[in-house]
Short mmCIF file of all heavy atoms in Angstrom, two decimals:
data_model
loop_
_atom_site.label_atom_id
_atom_site.label_comp_id
_atom_site.label_asym_id
_atom_site.label_seq_id
_atom_site.Cartn_x
_atom_site.Cartn_y
_atom_site.Cartn_z
N MET A 1 298.01 -42.83 121.48
CA MET A 1 298.96 -43.30 122.49
C MET A 1 299.86 -44.34 121.99
O MET A 1 299.53 -45.16 121.17
CB MET A 1 298.28 -43.72 123.81
CG MET A 1 297.46 -42.74 124.56
SD MET A 1 296.94 -43.42 126.13
CE MET A 1 296.50 -41.93 126.85
N THR A 2 301.09 -44.33 122.41
CA THR A 2 302.08 -45.36 121.97
C THR A 2 301.82 -46.67 122.73
O THR A 2 301.07 -46.70 123.70
CB THR A 2 303.47 -44.84 122.29
OG1 THR A 2 303.69 -44.77 123.76
CG2 THR A 2 303.74 -43.51 121.72
N SER A 3 302.45 -47.72 122.28
CA SER A 3 302.26 -49.03 122.89
C SER A 3 302.81 -48.98 124.41
O SER A 3 302.25 -49.75 125.18
CB SER A 3 302.98 -50.10 122.06
OG SER A 3 304.34 -49.86 122.03
N THR A 4 303.84 -48.18 124.64
CA THR A 4 304.26 -48.07 126.01
C THR A 4 303.25 -47.51 126.90
O THR A 4 303.07 -48.06 128.07
CB THR A 4 305.55 -47.23 126.10
OG1 THR A 4 306.51 -47.75 125.14
CG2 THR A 4 306.20 -47.16 127.39
N GLU A 5 302.57 -46.60 126.38
CA GLU A 5 301.50 -45.93 127.29
C GLU A 5 300.32 -46.92 127.39
O GLU A 5 299.74 -47.03 128.51
CB GLU A 5 300.94 -44.65 126.54
CG GLU A 5 301.98 -43.48 126.62
CD GLU A 5 301.54 -42.37 125.80
OE1 GLU A 5 301.17 -42.70 124.63
OE2 GLU A 5 301.61 -41.21 126.27
N CYS A 6 300.10 -47.78 126.43
CA CYS A 6 299.00 -48.72 126.49
C CYS A 6 299.40 -49.82 127.53
O CYS A 6 298.46 -50.20 128.34
CB CYS A 6 298.88 -49.51 125.23
SG CYS A 6 298.06 -48.43 123.92
N VAL A 7 300.60 -50.20 127.61
CA VAL A 7 301.04 -51.12 128.63
C VAL A 7 300.97 -50.57 130.04
O VAL A 7 300.55 -51.16 131.00
CB VAL A 7 302.49 -51.52 128.32
CG1 VAL A 7 303.25 -52.35 129.50
CG2 VAL A 7 302.61 -52.26 127.07
N GLN A 8 301.29 -49.21 130.08
CA GLN A 8 301.14 -48.60 131.49
C GLN A 8 299.76 -48.39 131.85
O GLN A 8 299.41 -48.74 133.14
CB GLN A 8 301.78 -47.13 131.39
CG GLN A 8 303.28 -47.17 131.27
CD GLN A 8 303.81 -45.77 131.01
OE1 GLN A 8 303.08 -44.85 130.75
NE2 GLN A 8 305.22 -45.59 131.22
N VAL A 9 298.82 -48.12 131.00
CA VAL A 9 297.41 -48.08 131.34
C VAL A 9 296.88 -49.38 131.80
O VAL A 9 296.15 -49.63 132.73
CB VAL A 9 296.56 -47.51 130.23
CG1 VAL A 9 295.04 -47.65 130.46
CG2 VAL A 9 296.93 -46.00 130.00
N ALA A 10 297.28 -50.53 131.02
CA ALA A 10 296.88 -51.87 131.39
C ALA A 10 297.42 -52.22 132.71
O ALA A 10 296.70 -52.91 133.55
CB ALA A 10 297.44 -52.80 130.26
N ALA A 11 298.58 -51.84 133.09
CA ALA A 11 299.15 -52.18 134.41
C ALA A 11 298.37 -51.37 135.46
O ALA A 11 298.09 -51.95 136.49
CB ALA A 11 300.63 -51.78 134.47
N GLN A 12 298.00 -50.19 135.28
CA GLN A 12 297.19 -49.44 136.21
C GLN A 12 295.81 -50.12 136.42
O GLN A 12 295.30 -50.20 137.49
CB GLN A 12 296.90 -47.97 135.69
CG GLN A 12 298.17 -47.21 135.80
CD GLN A 12 297.99 -45.75 135.18
OE1 GLN A 12 297.12 -45.53 134.28
NE2 GLN A 12 298.75 -44.84 135.61
N LEU A 13 295.29 -50.63 135.31
CA LEU A 13 293.91 -51.34 135.37
C LEU A 13 294.13 -52.54 136.22
O LEU A 13 293.26 -52.95 137.02
CB LEU A 13 293.40 -51.69 133.95
CG LEU A 13 292.79 -50.49 133.22
CD1 LEU A 13 292.54 -50.99 131.82
CD2 LEU A 13 291.61 -50.02 133.94
N ASP A 14 295.29 -53.34 136.02
CA ASP A 14 295.51 -54.59 136.80
C ASP A 14 295.65 -54.25 138.25
O ASP A 14 295.31 -54.95 139.11
CB ASP A 14 296.82 -55.19 136.23
CG ASP A 14 296.50 -56.03 134.96
OD1 ASP A 14 295.35 -56.19 134.65
OD2 ASP A 14 297.58 -56.30 134.28
N GLU A 15 296.32 -53.14 138.57
CA GLU A 15 296.45 -52.63 139.96
C GLU A 15 295.15 -52.33 140.63
O GLU A 15 294.90 -52.58 141.81
CB GLU A 15 297.43 -51.49 140.09
CG GLU A 15 298.85 -51.75 139.77
CD GLU A 15 299.73 -50.53 139.97
OE1 GLU A 15 299.21 -49.46 140.45
OE2 GLU A 15 300.81 -50.49 139.33
N HIS A 16 294.25 -51.75 139.78
CA HIS A 16 292.99 -51.30 140.29
C HIS A 16 292.06 -52.47 140.58
O HIS A 16 291.39 -52.44 141.55
CB HIS A 16 292.34 -50.36 139.28
CG HIS A 16 291.00 -49.80 139.83
ND1 HIS A 16 289.80 -50.40 139.59
CD2 HIS A 16 290.75 -48.69 140.47
CE1 HIS A 16 288.91 -49.62 140.10
NE2 HIS A 16 289.36 -48.51 140.69
N HIS A 17 292.00 -53.38 139.64
CA HIS A 17 291.11 -54.58 139.84
C HIS A 17 291.63 -55.67 138.84
O HIS A 17 292.24 -55.47 137.82
CB HIS A 17 289.64 -54.27 139.54
CG HIS A 17 289.45 -53.89 138.08
ND1 HIS A 17 289.72 -52.63 137.51
CD2 HIS A 17 288.88 -54.61 137.06
CE1 HIS A 17 289.38 -52.61 136.25
NE2 HIS A 17 288.89 -53.84 135.93
N ALA A 18 291.26 -56.94 139.25
CA ALA A 18 291.47 -58.11 138.38
C ALA A 18 290.41 -58.16 137.30
O ALA A 18 289.31 -57.78 137.59
CB ALA A 18 291.49 -59.38 139.17
N PRO A 19 290.83 -58.45 136.12
CA PRO A 19 289.73 -58.49 135.06
C PRO A 19 288.61 -59.49 135.34
O PRO A 19 288.80 -60.59 135.92
CB PRO A 19 290.50 -59.05 133.80
CG PRO A 19 291.94 -58.77 134.09
CD PRO A 19 292.09 -58.83 135.57
N GLU A 20 287.43 -59.04 135.17
CA GLU A 20 286.22 -59.84 135.34
C GLU A 20 285.62 -60.29 134.02
O GLU A 20 284.97 -59.41 133.39
CB GLU A 20 285.22 -59.10 136.25
CG GLU A 20 285.66 -58.69 137.60
CD GLU A 20 284.60 -57.90 138.35
OE1 GLU A 20 283.46 -57.84 138.00
OE2 GLU A 20 285.04 -57.34 139.42
N THR A 21 285.81 -61.44 133.57
CA THR A 21 285.29 -61.90 132.28
C THR A 21 284.19 -62.98 132.55
O THR A 21 283.95 -63.48 133.67
CB THR A 21 286.32 -62.45 131.39
OG1 THR A 21 286.83 -63.70 132.04
CG2 THR A 21 287.51 -61.55 131.19
N ASN A 22 283.41 -63.18 131.56
CA ASN A 22 282.27 -64.15 131.71
C ASN A 22 282.83 -65.55 131.41
O ASN A 22 282.12 -66.59 131.30
CB ASN A 22 281.18 -63.84 130.82
CG ASN A 22 281.39 -63.90 129.29
OD1 ASN A 22 282.47 -64.29 128.90
ND2 ASN A 22 280.36 -63.61 128.51
N GLY A 23 284.17 -65.76 131.12
CA GLY A 23 284.76 -67.14 130.90
C GLY A 23 284.73 -67.41 129.43
O GLY A 23 285.35 -68.35 128.99
N ARG A 24 283.98 -66.70 128.59
CA ARG A 24 283.86 -66.99 127.11
C ARG A 24 284.44 -65.88 126.29
O ARG A 24 285.11 -66.09 125.26
CB ARG A 24 282.53 -67.30 126.74
CG ARG A 24 281.91 -68.56 127.27
CD ARG A 24 280.48 -68.71 126.88
NE ARG A 24 279.71 -67.68 127.58
CZ ARG A 24 278.57 -67.12 127.29
NH1 ARG A 24 278.03 -67.56 126.20
NH2 ARG A 24 277.90 -66.29 127.99
N ILE A 25 284.27 -64.61 126.76
CA ILE A 25 284.73 -63.40 126.05
C ILE A 25 285.85 -62.82 126.85
O ILE A 25 285.71 -62.55 128.02
CB ILE A 25 283.60 -62.52 125.67
CG1 ILE A 25 282.42 -63.29 124.86
CG2 ILE A 25 284.03 -61.30 125.01
CD1 ILE A 25 281.23 -62.47 124.70
N ALA A 26 286.86 -62.36 126.14
CA ALA A 26 288.03 -61.77 126.87
C ALA A 26 287.85 -60.24 126.97
O ALA A 26 288.60 -59.43 126.63
CB ALA A 26 289.31 -62.09 126.09
N VAL A 27 286.73 -59.83 127.61
CA VAL A 27 286.44 -58.49 127.88
C VAL A 27 286.12 -58.28 129.39
O VAL A 27 285.26 -59.04 129.89
CB VAL A 27 285.36 -57.85 127.02
CG1 VAL A 27 284.99 -56.45 127.34
CG2 VAL A 27 285.71 -58.02 125.54
N CYS A 28 286.67 -57.33 130.07
CA CYS A 28 286.39 -57.14 131.50
C CYS A 28 285.04 -56.53 131.60
O CYS A 28 284.76 -55.54 131.09
CB CYS A 28 287.51 -56.18 132.05
SG CYS A 28 287.23 -55.87 133.85
N ARG A 29 284.11 -57.12 132.56
CA ARG A 29 282.83 -56.59 132.72
C ARG A 29 282.90 -55.28 133.52
O ARG A 29 281.93 -54.55 133.46
CB ARG A 29 282.02 -57.63 133.48
CG ARG A 29 281.60 -58.73 132.58
CD ARG A 29 280.74 -59.66 133.32
NE ARG A 29 281.51 -60.71 134.11
CZ ARG A 29 281.00 -61.63 134.72
NH1 ARG A 29 279.71 -61.88 134.76
NH2 ARG A 29 281.75 -62.46 135.39
N LYS A 30 283.93 -55.08 134.25
CA LYS A 30 284.03 -53.92 135.14
C LYS A 30 284.47 -52.70 134.40
O LYS A 30 283.71 -51.64 134.52
CB LYS A 30 285.11 -54.19 136.24
CG LYS A 30 285.03 -53.27 137.43
CD LYS A 30 285.84 -53.78 138.56
CE LYS A 30 285.25 -53.32 139.85
NZ LYS A 30 285.83 -53.95 140.95
N CYS A 31 285.38 -52.67 133.49
CA CYS A 31 285.87 -51.47 132.89
C CYS A 31 285.80 -51.47 131.29
O CYS A 31 285.92 -50.53 130.74
CB CYS A 31 287.32 -51.30 133.17
SG CYS A 31 288.56 -52.53 132.63
N GLY A 32 285.49 -52.74 130.74
CA GLY A 32 285.21 -52.77 129.41
C GLY A 32 286.54 -53.01 128.46
O GLY A 32 286.50 -53.07 127.31
N ALA A 33 287.63 -53.03 129.19
CA ALA A 33 288.97 -53.29 128.51
C ALA A 33 289.10 -54.75 128.04
O ALA A 33 288.37 -55.61 128.75
CB ALA A 33 290.11 -52.84 129.37
N ARG A 34 289.84 -55.07 127.21
CA ARG A 34 290.05 -56.49 126.78
C ARG A 34 290.99 -57.09 127.89
O ARG A 34 291.79 -56.46 128.49
CB ARG A 34 290.81 -56.55 125.47
CG ARG A 34 289.89 -56.24 124.37
CD ARG A 34 290.23 -57.01 123.10
NE ARG A 34 289.21 -56.99 122.10
CZ ARG A 34 288.30 -57.87 122.03
NH1 ARG A 34 288.29 -58.94 122.81
NH2 ARG A 34 287.38 -57.75 121.11
N ALA A 35 290.90 -58.38 128.00
CA ALA A 35 291.67 -59.18 128.89
C ALA A 35 292.58 -60.08 128.04
O ALA A 35 292.37 -60.16 126.80
CB ALA A 35 290.79 -60.01 129.82
N ASP A 36 293.61 -60.62 128.63
CA ASP A 36 294.48 -61.53 127.87
C ASP A 36 293.93 -62.78 127.44
O ASP A 36 294.52 -63.56 126.58
CB ASP A 36 295.77 -61.74 128.59
CG ASP A 36 295.59 -62.33 130.01
OD1 ASP A 36 294.42 -62.53 130.39
OD2 ASP A 36 296.60 -62.72 130.67
N GLY A 37 292.74 -63.13 127.85
CA GLY A 37 292.05 -64.41 127.47
C GLY A 37 290.79 -64.46 128.22
O GLY A 37 290.50 -63.67 129.15
N PRO A 38 289.96 -65.54 127.87
CA PRO A 38 288.69 -65.69 128.57
C PRO A 38 288.85 -65.81 130.08
O PRO A 38 287.88 -65.46 130.82
CB PRO A 38 288.13 -66.93 127.82
CG PRO A 38 288.71 -67.03 126.53
CD PRO A 38 290.13 -66.44 126.77
N SER A 39 289.96 -66.39 130.50
CA SER A 39 290.16 -66.54 132.00
C SER A 39 290.46 -65.21 132.62
O SER A 39 290.27 -64.96 133.82
CB SER A 39 291.26 -67.60 132.37
OG SER A 39 292.40 -67.16 131.73
N GLY A 40 290.94 -64.25 131.90
CA GLY A 40 291.19 -62.86 132.38
C GLY A 40 292.16 -62.70 133.44
O GLY A 40 291.73 -62.29 134.56
N LEU A 41 293.40 -62.93 133.24
CA LEU A 41 294.46 -62.74 134.27
C LEU A 41 294.97 -61.38 134.25
O LEU A 41 295.27 -60.80 135.26
CB LEU A 41 295.64 -63.74 134.09
CG LEU A 41 295.16 -65.21 134.12
CD1 LEU A 41 296.41 -66.02 133.85
CD2 LEU A 41 294.66 -65.48 135.52
N HIS A 42 295.07 -60.72 133.06
CA HIS A 42 295.56 -59.29 132.91
C HIS A 42 294.77 -58.58 131.92
O HIS A 42 294.25 -59.04 131.01
CB HIS A 42 297.02 -59.36 132.52
CG HIS A 42 298.00 -60.03 133.49
ND1 HIS A 42 298.34 -59.40 134.72
CD2 HIS A 42 298.51 -61.21 133.51
CE1 HIS A 42 299.15 -60.34 135.40
NE2 HIS A 42 299.26 -61.48 134.70
N HIS A 43 294.80 -57.18 132.00
CA HIS A 43 294.21 -56.39 131.06
C HIS A 43 295.16 -56.14 129.89
O HIS A 43 296.32 -56.20 130.04
CB HIS A 43 293.92 -54.97 131.60
CG HIS A 43 292.80 -55.00 132.59
ND1 HIS A 43 292.98 -55.28 133.95
CD2 HIS A 43 291.46 -54.90 132.52
CE1 HIS A 43 291.78 -55.20 134.55
NE2 HIS A 43 290.87 -54.98 133.70
N VAL A 44 294.61 -56.00 128.74
CA VAL A 44 295.36 -55.70 127.50
C VAL A 44 294.68 -54.53 126.87
O VAL A 44 293.63 -54.67 126.34
CB VAL A 44 295.52 -56.89 126.54
CG1 VAL A 44 296.20 -56.62 125.22
CG2 VAL A 44 296.04 -58.19 127.17
N VAL A 45 295.33 -53.39 126.72
CA VAL A 45 294.75 -52.18 126.24
C VAL A 45 295.25 -51.95 124.83
O VAL A 45 296.43 -51.96 124.59
CB VAL A 45 295.13 -50.92 127.15
CG1 VAL A 45 294.52 -49.67 126.59
CG2 VAL A 45 294.58 -51.11 128.54
N GLN A 46 294.30 -51.81 123.91
CA GLN A 46 294.64 -51.63 122.53
C GLN A 46 294.89 -50.09 122.29
O GLN A 46 294.41 -49.28 123.08
CB GLN A 46 293.41 -52.07 121.66
CG GLN A 46 293.19 -53.52 121.77
CD GLN A 46 291.85 -53.88 121.09
OE1 GLN A 46 290.89 -53.04 121.09
NE2 GLN A 46 291.75 -55.17 120.79
N THR A 47 295.67 -49.87 121.30
CA THR A 47 296.18 -48.43 121.07
C THR A 47 295.00 -47.48 121.02
O THR A 47 295.05 -46.37 121.67
CB THR A 47 296.86 -48.35 119.77
OG1 THR A 47 297.97 -49.35 119.85
CG2 THR A 47 297.47 -46.93 119.58
N GLY A 48 293.95 -47.69 120.25
CA GLY A 48 292.80 -46.88 120.21
C GLY A 48 291.93 -46.67 121.33
O GLY A 48 291.03 -45.80 121.45
N ARG A 49 292.07 -47.58 122.35
CA ARG A 49 291.19 -47.63 123.49
C ARG A 49 291.91 -47.09 124.70
O ARG A 49 291.27 -47.12 125.83
CB ARG A 49 290.72 -49.10 123.76
CG ARG A 49 290.10 -49.70 122.52
CD ARG A 49 288.73 -49.41 122.29
NE ARG A 49 287.95 -49.90 123.41
CZ ARG A 49 286.54 -49.70 123.43
NH1 ARG A 49 286.02 -49.00 122.48
NH2 ARG A 49 285.89 -50.18 124.45
N ALA A 50 293.18 -46.83 124.74
CA ALA A 50 293.91 -46.42 125.88
C ALA A 50 293.38 -45.12 126.56
O ALA A 50 293.22 -45.03 127.70
CB ALA A 50 295.38 -46.21 125.56
N GLY A 51 292.94 -44.17 125.71
CA GLY A 51 292.28 -42.94 126.27
C GLY A 51 291.08 -43.27 126.96
O GLY A 51 290.80 -42.68 128.08
N ARG A 52 290.28 -44.13 126.55
CA ARG A 52 288.99 -44.48 127.22
C ARG A 52 289.33 -45.22 128.52
O ARG A 52 288.68 -44.83 129.55
CB ARG A 52 288.14 -45.41 126.38
CG ARG A 52 286.90 -45.82 127.00
CD ARG A 52 286.04 -46.81 126.05
NE ARG A 52 284.85 -47.18 126.71
CZ ARG A 52 284.74 -48.24 127.61
NH1 ARG A 52 285.82 -48.85 128.01
NH2 ARG A 52 283.67 -48.54 128.11
N SER A 53 290.28 -46.11 128.53
CA SER A 53 290.59 -46.77 129.84
C SER A 53 291.25 -45.83 130.85
O SER A 53 290.96 -45.87 132.04
CB SER A 53 291.72 -47.82 129.55
OG SER A 53 290.95 -48.87 128.74
N SER A 54 292.09 -44.78 130.31
CA SER A 54 292.46 -43.78 131.20
C SER A 54 291.45 -42.95 131.94
O SER A 54 291.42 -42.61 133.02
CB SER A 54 293.52 -42.84 130.53
OG SER A 54 294.71 -43.63 130.16
N GLU A 55 290.43 -42.51 131.10
CA GLU A 55 289.34 -41.76 131.59
C GLU A 55 288.58 -42.60 132.59
O GLU A 55 288.04 -42.11 133.50
CB GLU A 55 288.44 -41.42 130.33
CG GLU A 55 289.05 -40.29 129.50
CD GLU A 55 288.23 -40.03 128.15
OE1 GLU A 55 287.15 -40.69 128.05
OE2 GLU A 55 288.66 -39.35 127.38
N TRP A 56 288.45 -43.90 132.37
CA TRP A 56 287.74 -44.78 133.32
C TRP A 56 288.42 -44.78 134.61
O TRP A 56 287.76 -44.67 135.68
CB TRP A 56 287.56 -46.15 132.76
CG TRP A 56 286.77 -46.97 133.59
CD1 TRP A 56 285.39 -47.21 133.52
CD2 TRP A 56 287.17 -47.90 134.66
NE1 TRP A 56 284.96 -48.12 134.43
CE2 TRP A 56 286.04 -48.55 135.19
CE3 TRP A 56 288.42 -48.19 135.12
CZ2 TRP A 56 286.09 -49.47 136.23
CZ3 TRP A 56 288.47 -49.10 136.25
CH2 TRP A 56 287.31 -49.64 136.75
N LEU A 57 289.74 -44.89 134.60
CA LEU A 57 290.51 -44.85 135.85
C LEU A 57 290.34 -43.47 136.58
O LEU A 57 290.14 -43.48 137.82
CB LEU A 57 291.99 -45.09 135.55
CG LEU A 57 292.31 -46.59 135.28
CD1 LEU A 57 293.76 -46.64 134.66
CD2 LEU A 57 292.21 -47.49 136.52
N VAL A 58 290.33 -42.40 135.86
CA VAL A 58 290.21 -41.08 136.55
C VAL A 58 288.76 -40.99 137.11
O VAL A 58 288.60 -40.46 138.26
CB VAL A 58 290.39 -39.96 135.42
CG1 VAL A 58 289.89 -38.57 136.01
CG2 VAL A 58 291.84 -39.92 134.95
N ALA A 59 287.73 -41.50 136.44
CA ALA A 59 286.49 -41.45 136.90
C ALA A 59 286.24 -42.28 138.22
O ALA A 59 285.62 -41.89 139.16
CB ALA A 59 285.46 -41.94 135.95
N GLN A 60 286.92 -43.46 138.23
CA GLN A 60 286.85 -44.29 139.33
C GLN A 60 287.61 -43.53 140.61
O GLN A 60 287.13 -43.67 141.84
CB GLN A 60 287.54 -45.64 139.09
CG GLN A 60 286.86 -46.45 138.17
CD GLN A 60 285.41 -46.75 138.56
OE1 GLN A 60 285.12 -47.28 139.59
NE2 GLN A 60 284.52 -46.39 137.71
N SER A 61 288.61 -42.92 140.31
CA SER A 61 289.32 -42.06 141.35
C SER A 61 288.37 -41.05 141.88
O SER A 61 288.32 -40.75 143.18
CB SER A 61 290.61 -41.52 140.80
OG SER A 61 291.24 -40.69 141.80
N ARG A 62 287.67 -40.33 141.09
CA ARG A 62 286.75 -39.31 141.46
C ARG A 62 285.62 -39.94 142.31
O ARG A 62 285.26 -39.28 143.34
CB ARG A 62 286.14 -38.49 140.27
CG ARG A 62 287.16 -37.62 139.62
CD ARG A 62 286.53 -36.87 138.48
NE ARG A 62 287.56 -36.12 137.80
CZ ARG A 62 287.49 -35.81 136.50
NH1 ARG A 62 286.57 -36.16 135.76
NH2 ARG A 62 288.48 -35.03 136.04
N LEU A 63 285.05 -41.02 141.89
CA LEU A 63 284.05 -41.72 142.67
C LEU A 63 284.48 -42.00 144.09
O LEU A 63 283.75 -41.91 144.99
CB LEU A 63 283.53 -42.93 141.88
CG LEU A 63 282.74 -42.67 140.68
CD1 LEU A 63 282.49 -43.91 139.91
CD2 LEU A 63 281.37 -41.89 141.02
N ARG A 64 285.71 -42.61 144.14
CA ARG A 64 286.27 -42.92 145.43
C ARG A 64 286.47 -41.69 146.31
O ARG A 64 286.10 -41.68 147.57
CB ARG A 64 287.62 -43.55 145.25
CG ARG A 64 288.24 -44.22 146.51
CD ARG A 64 289.51 -44.96 146.29
NE ARG A 64 290.51 -44.14 145.64
CZ ARG A 64 291.14 -44.41 144.46
NH1 ARG A 64 290.77 -45.42 143.77
NH2 ARG A 64 292.00 -43.56 143.87
N ASP A 65 286.92 -40.57 145.68
CA ASP A 65 286.96 -39.28 146.49
C ASP A 65 285.66 -38.88 146.97
O ASP A 65 285.54 -38.36 148.15
CB ASP A 65 287.66 -38.28 145.64
CG ASP A 65 289.16 -38.56 145.34
OD1 ASP A 65 289.68 -39.51 146.02
OD2 ASP A 65 289.62 -37.83 144.42
N ILE A 66 284.62 -38.99 146.16
CA ILE A 66 283.22 -38.50 146.60
C ILE A 66 282.78 -39.42 147.71
O ILE A 66 282.21 -38.92 148.71
CB ILE A 66 282.33 -38.58 145.31
CG1 ILE A 66 282.66 -37.55 144.33
CG2 ILE A 66 280.85 -38.50 145.78
CD1 ILE A 66 282.03 -37.70 142.99
N GLU A 67 283.00 -40.66 147.58
CA GLU A 67 282.58 -41.57 148.70
C GLU A 67 283.22 -41.40 149.97
O GLU A 67 282.68 -41.28 151.08
CB GLU A 67 282.86 -43.05 148.33
CG GLU A 67 281.85 -43.59 147.18
CD GLU A 67 282.26 -44.96 146.70
OE1 GLU A 67 283.29 -45.56 147.19
OE2 GLU A 67 281.53 -45.40 145.75
N TYR A 68 284.53 -41.01 149.88
CA TYR A 68 285.29 -40.65 151.12
C TYR A 68 284.81 -39.34 151.68
O TYR A 68 284.56 -39.34 152.97
CB TYR A 68 286.76 -40.47 150.65
CG TYR A 68 287.58 -40.02 151.83
CD1 TYR A 68 287.95 -41.00 152.89
CD2 TYR A 68 288.15 -38.79 151.89
CE1 TYR A 68 288.80 -40.62 153.95
CE2 TYR A 68 288.90 -38.42 152.97
CZ TYR A 68 289.30 -39.33 154.02
OH TYR A 68 290.05 -38.95 155.11
N SER A 69 284.51 -38.39 150.96
CA SER A 69 284.00 -37.11 151.53
C SER A 69 282.61 -37.32 152.10
O SER A 69 282.33 -36.69 153.02
CB SER A 69 284.02 -36.01 150.46
OG SER A 69 283.08 -36.20 149.46
N GLN A 70 281.81 -38.15 151.43
CA GLN A 70 280.48 -38.43 151.97
C GLN A 70 280.62 -39.15 153.27
O GLN A 70 279.84 -38.84 154.27
CB GLN A 70 279.62 -39.14 151.08
CG GLN A 70 279.23 -38.40 149.82
CD GLN A 70 278.45 -39.29 148.78
OE1 GLN A 70 278.58 -40.46 148.79
NE2 GLN A 70 277.70 -38.57 147.89
N ALA A 71 281.56 -40.02 153.40
CA ALA A 71 281.75 -40.74 154.69
C ALA A 71 282.17 -39.83 155.82
O ALA A 71 281.89 -39.95 156.95
CB ALA A 71 282.72 -41.91 154.53
N LEU A 72 283.01 -38.86 155.37
CA LEU A 72 283.47 -37.96 156.41
C LEU A 72 282.39 -37.09 156.99
O LEU A 72 282.28 -36.72 158.18
CB LEU A 72 284.61 -37.01 155.86
CG LEU A 72 285.97 -37.71 155.66
CD1 LEU A 72 286.90 -36.73 155.00
CD2 LEU A 72 286.53 -38.14 157.08
N ARG A 73 281.50 -36.61 156.07
CA ARG A 73 280.32 -35.87 156.41
C ARG A 73 279.37 -36.63 157.29
O ARG A 73 278.66 -36.09 158.09
CB ARG A 73 279.59 -35.30 155.25
CG ARG A 73 280.30 -34.26 154.45
CD ARG A 73 279.45 -33.85 153.35
NE ARG A 73 280.33 -33.02 152.42
CZ ARG A 73 280.09 -32.81 151.09
NH1 ARG A 73 279.02 -33.41 150.59
NH2 ARG A 73 280.81 -32.11 150.40
N ALA A 74 279.27 -37.93 157.14
CA ALA A 74 278.31 -38.78 157.88
C ALA A 74 278.79 -38.93 159.28
O ALA A 74 277.96 -39.31 160.20
CB ALA A 74 278.16 -40.01 157.15
N LYS A 75 280.09 -38.81 159.54
CA LYS A 75 280.59 -39.03 160.93
C LYS A 75 280.31 -37.89 161.78
O LYS A 75 280.47 -36.69 161.41
CB LYS A 75 282.17 -39.19 160.91
CG LYS A 75 282.67 -40.49 160.35
CD LYS A 75 284.18 -40.55 160.50
CE LYS A 75 284.69 -41.94 159.92
NZ LYS A 75 286.25 -41.95 160.04
N PRO A 76 279.88 -38.13 163.01
CA PRO A 76 279.58 -37.07 163.88
C PRO A 76 280.89 -36.49 164.49
O PRO A 76 281.81 -37.25 164.62
CB PRO A 76 278.71 -37.69 165.08
CG PRO A 76 279.06 -39.19 164.96
CD PRO A 76 279.44 -39.42 163.52
N LEU A 77 280.88 -35.17 164.67
CA LEU A 77 282.07 -34.52 165.25
C LEU A 77 282.22 -34.94 166.70
O LEU A 77 281.25 -35.07 167.44
CB LEU A 77 281.98 -33.06 165.02
CG LEU A 77 282.05 -32.49 163.63
CD1 LEU A 77 281.68 -31.00 163.59
CD2 LEU A 77 283.27 -32.76 162.93
N PRO A 78 283.47 -35.10 167.22
CA PRO A 78 283.68 -35.37 168.56
C PRO A 78 283.47 -34.25 169.55
O PRO A 78 283.45 -33.20 169.20
CB PRO A 78 285.17 -35.76 168.61
CG PRO A 78 285.74 -35.34 167.34
CD PRO A 78 284.71 -35.05 166.44
#
């Protein structure tokens, strides 16, 4: 992927969640992407890792869809 695509994936990760780091290592515990520093204000996606981050976002979307459909099934019909 190009650097433009990496920036777009990083922005999508930022929209999805704030980076969760341990304060010493600049890696998000939630998605595994690098953060801009140990404090983790923004995601920084490296060229070779953009595909993995995109796949993670797709998987999260699928999980959200599954949870939504399960919640609909659990509701009693009026």
Side-chain angles (χ1 to χ4, degrees):
M1 293 189 163
T2 66
S3 61
T4 304
E5 291 170 313
C6 292
V7 170
Q8 290 174 346
V9 172
Q12 290 174 335
L13 287 171
D14 285 342
E15 287 176 19
H16 185 269
H17 66 280
E20 297 176 14
T21 66
N22 67 3
R24 293 176 289 155
I25 301 174
V27 175
C28 179
R29 289 185 273 187
K30 195 168 208 169
C31 66
R34 288 215 168 263
D36 58 352
S39 60
L41 300 176
H42 299 285
H43 290 90
V44 178
V45 177
Q46 298 167 332
T47 303
R49 310 278 293 177
R52 181 182 178 278
S53 293
S54 293
E55 290 172 5
W56 186 87
L57 284 166
V58 169
Q60 293 303 304
S61 175
R62 287 181 182 152
L63 288 172
R64 187 177 56 240
D65 292 345
I66 290 168
E67 289 173 0
Y68 177 73
S69 66
Q70 288 174 340
L72 285 178
R73 288 184 193 154
K75 285 184 179 179
L77 295 174

